[in-house]
Amino acid sequence: MKKLALVLIILIICFSFSSSILAQTIELEFFQNKREAVATFDKLIEKFESENPKIKIEQNHVPDAETVLKSRLARNRIPDIMGLGGNFTYGQIADAGILMNFDQASYLDLTQAAYRKMLKDLQKNEINYGIPYTANANTVLYNKDKFAELGLKIPKTWDQFIKTAETIKENGETPFYLTYKDAWTIMIPWNALAANLQGENFIEQKNAKKTTFQSRYQAVAQKMYQLLDYGQDDIFGFSYEQGNQAFAQGKSLMYIQGVWAINPILKANPDLNLGAFALPATNQKEQNKLVSGVDTVLTISKNTAHPKAAEKFIQFLLQEENAKFYINEQLTFSAVKNVFQNDPTVVDLKEYFEKGKIAAFPDHYYPTGIEVPNLLQGFLHRGNIEQFLKELDSEWNKVQSR
C-alpha cells in the first residue's frame, strides 16, 4: 500500500512538473499571405525555435489570405503575428486600430525609411503599425543570350524599348509573351507605366476630387495599348503559369513580370541566361524609376497575450543573416538596411535601389472595390481609351461615395 502511495506521489509530481513546463511554452500564430514563402518561413521558424525553445510559432497560410483575414478580424480572431502585403487592405487593417504601435520599437530603424513611408501613405495617420520586411519589383525579364545574338542592349528610354521590340520582331522572334488571360498580370506593365507617368500626388488629388484618370492617364493607356503590337498571338489565351513556361522555353525574348516569376522560370529551365531591367516608361532616362513596393509587412495584434515573444520573432527575422536568407531563397529584395540582393539575374536593378530611383505601386493605393485588372482587360479588347478612363473615374467615384 505504501509503495502504491509512493508511486502515486511520484506520478503526481511528474505530471505537475510536465504541466509546469508546458505552461511555460508560448504558442504564437504567424498568419502570412505568401504561398511561395511557406517553406522559407518554415526554415526560419525552425531556426528561431531552436534558439528559443520556449516559444512555438505556428505558421498559417491559406488561399485567398486577405479575404480570410478580414473574416477573422470581423469575428475578433486576430492572429498574434501577421505577414501581409503592403497594399490598400493593409492600410484598412492599420486604420482599424487593432495593430501594435511600433513607433518606439528600436528595431524599426533597421528598415529603410522609403518603405516605411509607403506603408504610412496607405493609412490615415503617421503611426508605424507595421515593419517593412521585403520588397518586390516590376521588371522586364529578358533572355541575355538572345539579346547578345541580336546585338541588343538594355533600353533606357521608351523609344529605345519600342525600338528593341521592333528589332526582335524584324528578326522573326516574339518580343513579349503577354499572359492577359490572368487579368492581374496586366497590372505589371500598368503599374510600371502609371508610376512614372501619372504625375505628382495623383492619389491625393484624386481622393480630393482635384484630378481624374481622363486628365492624367492618357499616356499610360496609350502605351499599354501599344504594347499589344509586340505580343504573341492570342494574348488573352495564356495564363501566368503558361507564360513562365513559354519564356523559359525561349518563345519570347522579353517577359513583363515581377521578380517573383524568376524562380519558377529558372525551375522550368535552369540553363536560361536570364536578366531583368526596369521598364523605361519615359524618354527621360534619368527620370525613369523602378516600381517597387513592400511585399511583406510584419505586424502584431495589439491584443496578443504574448507581445514580447511576438516582437522577439520579428526581431529575429530582421537580423541581417535571416533577412539575407529570405531574399536569397525568394529572389526578392529586402527592406532591411544593408541587406542587398546580389543575384546576377537582377544585378541591373541594383542602381535603382542605390540611387533611390524607386516608385511605389500605384494600384496599392487604389480603393478596394475598383476592379482595375478586369477593366483593363476589357479596354485592351476594345481599344477605346476615352471610354476606359471614364470607367475608371466612374468606378472610383462609386467606391468613394459608399
Side-chain angles (χ1 to χ4, degrees):
M1 191 69 180
K2 289 182 178 179
K3 288 184 177 179
L4 179 59
L6 181 61
V7 170
L8 287 172
I9 292 170
I10 292 172
L11 288 173
I12 291 169
I13 292 171
C14 289
F15 178 76
S16 299
F17 181 74
S18 61
S19 297
S20 175
I21 295 297
L22 287 173
Q24 292 174 20
T25 300
I26 295 171
E27 295 185 359
L28 297 170
E29 179 188 2
F30 174 45
F31 184 100
Q32 68 90 14
N33 69 330
K34 297 185 71 62
R35 178 185 60 186
E36 65 273 19
V38 169
T40 301
F41 275 125
D42 275 342
K43 293 171 187 175
L44 287 167
I45 288 169
E46 182 179 1
K47 181 182 177 184
F48 174 80
E49 290 180 343
S50 69
E51 297 176 6
N52 301 273
K54 293 183 180 180
I55 304 175
K56 300 299 178 186
I57 306 293
E58 179 186 349
Q59 181 179 188
N60 184 8
H61 168 78
V62 293
D64 199 9
E66 285 190 358
T67 301
V68 172
L69 182 59
K70 286 181 179 180
S71 176
R72 288 187 55 173
L73 298 183
R75 301 196 304 272
N76 201 32
R77 293 180 55 239
I78 306 169
D80 299 291
I81 309 166
M82 289 159 274
L84 310 174
N87 55 21
F88 190 82
T89 298
Y90 164 76
Q92 290 179 312
I93 295 171
D95 288 331
I98 60 174
L99 302 179
M100 180 181 288
N101 182 336
F102 293 96
D103 280 354
Q104 303 304 316
S106 59
Y107 49 87
L108 181 66
D109 288 335
L110 296 175
T111 62
Q112 296 181 48
Y115 291 114
R116 296 201 300 270
K117 183 179 184 305
M118 286 182 190
L119 293 178
K120 285 184 180 180
D121 287 344
L122 294 165
Q123 308 164 195
K124 294 178 181 178
N125 57 51
E126 291 294 307
I127 295 173
N128 290 286
Y129 286 116
I131 307 291
Y133 187 51
T134 62
N136 53 25
N138 280 354
T139 67
V140 181
L141 305 179
Y142 73 106
N143 188 315
K144 289 184 176 181
D145 291 339
K146 290 197 173 186
F147 258 53
E149 288 174 14
L150 297 180
L152 298 173
K153 296 182 179 179
I154 292 176
K156 297 295 185 180
T157 67
W158 175 258
D159 286 348
Q160 290 175 9
F161 187 48
I162 295 301
K163 178 61 178 176
T164 298
E166 288 282 3
T167 301
I168 293 169
K169 198 172 181 179
E170 289 167 2
N171 281 272
E173 298 271 15
T174 301
F176 306 116
Y177 209 91
L178 304 176
T179 57
Y180 293 173
K181 179 180 180 180
D182 288 334
W184 69 267
T185 68
I186 307 175
M187 298 306 295
I188 311 301
W190 173 265
N191 276 322
L193 291 167
N196 283 282
L197 297 171
Q198 68 184 5
E200 294 295 323
N201 304 316
F202 172 77
I203 299 298
E204 292 86 347
Q205 291 186 24
K206 181 63 179 160
N207 284 328
K209 299 181 180 180
K210 294 180 179 179
T211 193
T212 62
F213 281 102
Q214 294 172 73
S215 63
R216 299 276 284 271
Y217 269 64
Q218 290 284 336
V220 178
Q222 290 167 4
K223 290 182 176 182
M224 280 294 299
Y225 200 74
Q226 187 177 3
L227 291 174
L228 301 187
D229 293 336
Y230 305 100
Q232 81 286 2
D233 292 336
D234 192 14
I235 62 172
F236 298 102
F238 296 91
S239 67
Y240 166 69
E241 286 78 12
Q242 290 172 309
N244 291 345
Q245 291 289 327
F247 182 69
Q249 295 165 8
K251 292 185 178 180
S252 74
L253 271 67
M254 293 184 285
Y255 187 41
I256 305 174
Q257 254 303 340
V259 292
W260 53 82
I262 294 174
N263 272 341
I265 290 169
L266 292 178
K267 185 176 181 180
N269 181 5
D271 297 324
L272 180 65
N273 190 7
L274 175 65
F277 61 86
L279 191 155
T282 78
N283 282 325
Q284 285 72 49
K285 174 182 172 182
E286 294 304 320
Q287 292 183 20
N288 286 323
K289 295 181 179 180
L290 174 71
V291 175
S292 176
V294 179
D295 194 34
T296 297
V297 50
L298 300 171
T299 188
I300 298 172
S301 166
K302 75 174 185 181
N303 293 321
T304 179
H306 306 286
K308 290 184 178 179
E311 285 190 272
K312 195 167 190 176
F313 180 60
I314 286 185
Q315 287 175 280
F316 167 84
L317 293 177
L318 292 173
Q319 292 173 14
E320 285 191 20
E321 178 184 351
N322 299 324
K324 185 70 174 175
F325 174 82
Y326 183 95
I327 65 168
N328 285 345
E329 281 226 341
Q330 292 296 307
L331 201 54
T332 186
F333 302 93
S334 183
V336 179
K337 293 176 181 176
N338 302 315
V339 177
F340 299 107
Q341 179 57 265
N342 294 314
D343 190 281
T345 58
V346 293
V347 68
D348 294 310
L349 303 177
K350 194 172 182 180
E351 66 170 297
Y352 292 90
F353 290 97
E354 291 176 342
K355 295 179 181 179
K357 295 171 62 176
I358 301 295
F361 286 79
D363 71 327
H364 284 189
Y365 302 87
Y366 297 166
T368 300
I370 301 179
E371 298 296 334
V372 177
N374 295 334
L375 292 173
L376 267 167
Q377 205 173 45
F379 155 59
L380 295 176
H381 269 294
R382 298 188 301 269
N384 189 322
I385 291 176
E386 294 303 324
Q387 179 184 346
F388 166 60
L389 295 178
K390 285 180 182 179
E391 285 178 337
L392 281 179
D393 282 321
S394 175
E395 290 302 310
W396 186 295
N397 294 338
K398 285 179 186 177
V399 170
Q400 277 198 323
S401 65
R402 288 173 188 168

